[in-house]
């Protein structure tokens, strides 16, 4: 179910954030360009207005190193007044060779080279042709962003003889920073909203899916009685109704199979009883004829095998509903060990624990495993029944000292009617697996050639 939530988050959150991020970036970029262009137009207009306060022909006669002339002082005063009135920063008048003519900054003498103007060579080429221009935004020594506007300076004949540069702080960058912060905030809020919406949608989807998964697990464990609830008309409801139809069909099939097995077992059991009776009478009548009595004994052994087969069919077909209660495992294992001992094989028990189980059915399952272990263990060997706890589960190990299970048979041993015994039915382990599954437990097997096999039953702890 987590994968559905992850997919929904990926499906909703990722495109939303990508689109919002792209929208935010494009919005910021469009806003920046618009503000930058507008500031450039304003600065070029202010540069043109400031140029009207400069008499370039008087400044061109100034020589580097000479004391400031009245024309220079007057022009600087006029430019400073204009800058203060227009909210500008520095204003610079410069020659075509990019050296100073007049500067509102005090420490810049006539003739100093403006190396920073080299960055605006392209714009200055147009200015010296008589075209106003604006620079790209740049960061000043104080860390703030600035932008400059350029205008040509003409002589009395109208020829361009110099240029004028006005600078102003690019305050729109502060507005852009605030806008960026707002967009980030909106993005975080939007991401949180999408996450919450995705979690809510995932919960609406996964809740019925969990119910269906639980129902499927019950069906897989063999519980075909409880119906599968399916409400609504969406795809999940259709899946639920389909699962309910499957459950009903499997339940009907199992009931038919159980009736068939029960009927066959009853039909076979009745004549078996008669045959056993007459075999006993025949044995008594043949007293003294040991050869013929040996034949009768063989008949009785085969009848005993058929009786066990019929009993296993009936057990498999007539498994009653579970009656769960806390079960002490050590006394149960002692009881199973007493019933399973045979053929000179020792059955030991150890450990302790308590499981929530149907004692009668669990006893039948463990007795089946113990008898299989005894049959697999050679005379003089030991079978161990051990109980314990691991976390919230009870554990029962049935360990034999037999030859182990062949690799080719390991995946088949729980299949009904599969057996490696000469006179086995192949329902024992299938029967055990179904009982353990109905308890909500699991059955595991570990085997090693020549060193035996361990069947481990995991059950809910009580």
């Amino acid at each position: 179910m987590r994968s559905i939530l992850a997919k929904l988050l990926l499906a909703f959150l990722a495109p939303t954030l990508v689109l919002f991020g792209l929208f935010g970036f494009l919005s910021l970029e469009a806003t920046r360009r618009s503000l930058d262009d507008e500031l450039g137009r304003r600065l070029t207009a202010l540069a043109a207005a400031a140029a009207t306060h400069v008499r370039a022909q008087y400044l061109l006669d100034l020589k580097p190193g000479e004391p400031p002339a009245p024309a220079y002082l007057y022009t600087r005063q006029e430019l400073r007044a204009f800058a203060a009135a227009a909210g500008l920063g520095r204003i610079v008048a410069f020659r075509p060779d990019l050296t100073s003519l007049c500067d509102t900054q005090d420490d810049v003498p006539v003739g100093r080279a403006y190396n920073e103007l080299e960055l605006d060579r392209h714009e200055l080429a147009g200015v010296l042709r008589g075209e106003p221009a604006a620079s790209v935004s740049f960061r000043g020594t104080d860390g703030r962003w600035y932008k400059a506007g350029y205008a040509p300076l003409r002589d009395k004949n109208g020829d361009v003889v110099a240029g004028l540069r006005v600078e102003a702080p690019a305050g729109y960058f502060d507005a852009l920073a605030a806008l960026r912060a707002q967009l980030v905030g909106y993005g975080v809020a939007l991401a949180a909203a999408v996450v919450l919406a995705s979690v809510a949608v995932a919960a609406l989807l996964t809740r019925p899916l969990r119910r269906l998964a639980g129902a499927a697990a019950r069906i897989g464990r063999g519980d075909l009685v409880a119906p599968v609830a399916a409400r609504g008309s969406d795809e999940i409801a259709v899946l639920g109704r389909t699962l309910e139809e499957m459950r009903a069909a499997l339940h009907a099939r199992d009931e038919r199979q159980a009736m068939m097995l029960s009927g066959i077992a009853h039909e076979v059991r009745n004549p078996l009883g008669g045959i056993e009776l007459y075999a006993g009478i025949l044995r008594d009548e043949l007293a003294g004829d040991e050869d013929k009595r040996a034949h009768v004994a063989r008949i009785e052994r085969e009848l005993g095998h058929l009786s066990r087969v019929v009993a296993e069919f009936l057990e498999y077909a007539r498994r009653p509903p579970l009656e769960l209660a806390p079960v002490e495992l050590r006394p149960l294992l002692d009881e199973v060990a007493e019933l399973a001992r045979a053929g000179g094989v020792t059955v030991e028990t150890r450990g302790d624990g308590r499981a929530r189980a149907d004692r009668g059915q669990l006893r039948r399952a463990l007795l089946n495993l113990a008898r299989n272990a005894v049959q697999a263990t050679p005379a003089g060997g030991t079978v161990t029944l051990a109980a314990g706890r691991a976390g919230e589960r009870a554990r029962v190990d049935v360990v034999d000292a037999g030859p182990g299970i062949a690799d080719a048979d390991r995946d088949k041993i729980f299949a009904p009617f599969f057996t490696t015994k000469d006179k086995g039915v192949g329902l024992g382990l299938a029967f055990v697996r179904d009982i353990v599954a109905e308890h909500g437990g699991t059955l595991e097997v570990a085997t090693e050639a020549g060193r035996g096999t361990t069947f481990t039953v995991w059950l809910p702890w009580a």
Side-chain angles (χ1 to χ4, degrees):
M1 301 306 166
R2 289 183 202 151
S3 62
I4 294 179
L5 176 59
K7 290 175 182 176
L8 285 173
L9 287 175
L10 185 63
F12 291 153
L13 186 58
T16 301
L17 291 182
V18 169
L19 290 176
F20 188 81
L22 183 61
F23 168 76
F25 172 77
L26 294 177
S27 298
L28 282 173
E29 185 63 18
T31 304
R32 186 194 67 78
R33 290 191 178 187
S34 177
L35 292 174
D36 196 73
D37 292 343
E38 177 61 24
L39 182 58
R41 285 191 292 271
R42 291 182 61 187
L43 288 177
T44 53
L46 289 172
T52 61
H53 296 270
V54 179
R55 299 292 182 265
Q57 61 270 22
Y58 301 126
L59 296 177
L60 289 173
D61 295 333
L62 299 176
K63 303 297 181 183
E66 293 181 352
Y72 177 89
L73 296 175
Y74 175 78
T75 301
R76 188 169 67 176
Q77 182 180 352
E78 287 289 310
L79 292 178
R80 283 179 174 177
F82 183 85
L88 297 173
R90 186 179 179 187
I91 300 180
V92 171
F94 55 90
R95 289 187 174 90
D97 62 357
L98 307 185
T99 57
S100 175
L101 280 176
C102 185
D103 198 316
T104 57
Q105 191 170 303
D106 288 331
D107 58 351
V108 181
V110 175
R112 174 178 289 184
Y114 291 118
N115 295 323
E116 64 270 23
L117 298 187
E118 294 289 345
L119 298 176
D120 296 332
R121 273 289 184 183
H122 177 73
E123 290 81 359
L124 292 177
V127 171
L128 296 176
R129 290 195 302 268
E131 302 168 1
S135 72
V136 296
S137 299
F138 59 94
R139 192 183 293 271
T141 56
D142 57 358
R144 298 183 64 189
W145 285 92
Y146 288 86
K147 193 175 182 66
Y150 292 98
L153 291 177
R154 304 175 184 272
D155 60 13
K156 60 183 179 181
N157 298 321
D159 297 327
V160 177
V161 293
L164 186 75
R165 170 188 168 105
V166 299
E167 296 178 3
Y172 70 89
F173 276 102
D174 297 332
L176 284 177
L179 177 60
R180 185 183 297 109
Q182 288 181 345
L183 289 175
V184 171
Y186 292 150
V188 172
L190 180 62
V194 172
V195 169
L196 292 177
S198 300
V199 170
V201 172
L204 292 175
L205 289 176
T206 55
R207 190 177 298 116
L209 286 176
R210 287 193 188 95
R211 289 199 297 266
L212 292 182
R218 291 198 307 272
I219 293 173
R221 292 194 299 267
D223 180 5
L224 301 176
V225 177
V228 179
R231 298 183 295 272
S233 58
D234 57 8
E235 291 81 355
I236 297 178
V238 172
L239 177 60
R241 286 192 288 271
T242 304
L243 192 61
E244 167 60 16
E245 292 172 2
M246 182 188 73
R247 181 207 63 81
L250 290 174
H251 185 50
R253 186 197 67 181
D254 277 10
E255 286 185 334
R256 289 193 299 270
Q257 287 181 348
M259 291 178 61
M260 180 184 67
L261 288 174
S262 180
I264 292 174
H266 276 293
E267 291 300 322
V268 172
R269 175 176 279 184
N270 291 333
L272 275 180
I275 295 173
E276 287 177 345
L277 175 63
Y278 285 109
I281 295 173
L282 182 59
R283 183 185 65 250
D284 294 339
E285 290 179 352
L286 293 175
D289 190 342
E290 295 302 325
D291 291 337
K292 292 180 180 179
R293 284 173 64 90
H295 294 313
V296 174
R298 184 170 182 179
I299 292 173
E300 289 179 328
R301 286 195 301 272
E302 295 298 327
L303 288 173
H305 169 66
L306 287 177
S307 296
R308 288 193 298 274
V309 170
V310 170
E312 287 189 16
F313 270 111
L314 285 175
E315 283 187 352
Y316 192 78
R318 290 180 172 181
R319 192 162 61 252
L322 298 179
E323 296 182 5
L324 300 176
V327 175
E328 295 292 339
L329 294 177
R330 183 58 179 270
L332 179 61
L333 293 184
D334 292 338
E335 184 180 335
V336 169
E338 187 65 30
L339 294 172
R341 288 190 181 96
V345 176
T346 302
V347 182
E348 296 179 346
T349 61
R350 66 167 183 257
D352 203 353
R354 189 170 60 182
R356 181 169 177 78
D358 184 310
R359 192 179 192 282
Q361 294 205 37
L362 181 58
R363 174 182 176 276
R364 291 162 67 186
L366 294 177
L367 182 58
N368 199 310
L369 290 176
R371 283 175 173 166
N372 285 349
V374 168
Q375 292 172 10
T377 301
T382 301
V383 170
T384 302
L385 308 181
R389 178 177 183 176
E392 296 300 317
R393 296 194 297 172
R395 171 176 181 162
V396 178
D397 292 325
V398 180
V399 185
D400 67 40
I405 302 172
D407 292 340
D409 298 334
R410 193 172 300 177
D411 295 333
K412 306 174 186 176
I413 57 175
F414 297 112
F417 306 108
F418 174 81
T419 181
T420 57
K421 301 175 184 177
D422 293 336
K423 293 185 178 180
V425 181
L427 289 176
L429 288 178
F431 179 68
V432 173
R433 180 199 58 187
D434 290 350
I435 289 179
V436 174
E438 287 178 2
H439 280 79
T442 55
L443 179 61
E444 299 175 354
V445 58
T447 185
E448 186 175 350
R451 303 194 62 177
T453 300
T454 299
F455 283 90
T456 301
V457 177
W458 295 96
L459 296 168
W461 183 264

